Amino acid sequence: MLSIEDILQRNVWDVAEDPHIEIPKGADNQSGIPKKALALLCPAACYTEMGDELLFSYEGCVECALCRVITPKEKISWRYLRSGRGIQYRFT
């Protein structure tokens, strides 16, 4: 059985220069963000807790929008990527 990592490695990303997801920097600005939930639930492991900070790497994002759903609207900026950018799923 394939692991999620094996499955994700089959995909191809055309990474945009500007991130499609942005979270505020600094512990004061990150209050109200479900850091632990984001770090545990993101299927591509894009979120990492570092002390009080939440680190995010958008390059491996699978565009599932889970972070947009579980984070208060004013705490995260999420937008669709320009056509042709982002993940290209490979199912073979």
Side-chain angles (χ1 to χ4, degrees):
M1 178 177 250
L2 293 173
S3 69
I4 189 73
E5 291 82 13
D6 293 332
I7 294 169
L8 287 174
Q9 286 179 357
R10 293 178 177 194
N11 299 319
V12 176
W13 282 263
D14 183 1
V15 180
E17 305 83 39
D18 55 331
H20 64 291
I21 300 171
E22 295 181 274
I23 53 176
K25 298 291 183 205
D28 293 342
N29 294 334
Q30 289 187 359
S31 63
I33 293 178
K35 298 176 195 138
K36 198 169 285 302
L38 287 170
L40 289 172
L41 297 175
C42 178
C46 292
Y47 294 90
T48 307
E49 274 188 295
M50 294 292 284
D52 288 337
E53 290 286 318
L54 182 65
L55 303 179
F56 173 66
S57 174
Y58 73 96
E59 293 86 359
C61 180
V62 295
E63 302 168 32
C64 68
L66 174 107
C67 55
R68 180 179 174 197
V69 171
I70 67 172
T71 303
K73 186 177 179 179
E74 67 277 359
K75 297 292 183 176
I76 192 167
S77 170
W78 193 99
R79 61 181 170 77
Y80 288 103
L81 288 161
R82 193 182 78 203
S83 180
R85 294 292 194 154
I87 191 167
Q88 299 169 12
Y89 289 100
R90 304 285 190 234
F91 296 105
T92 59

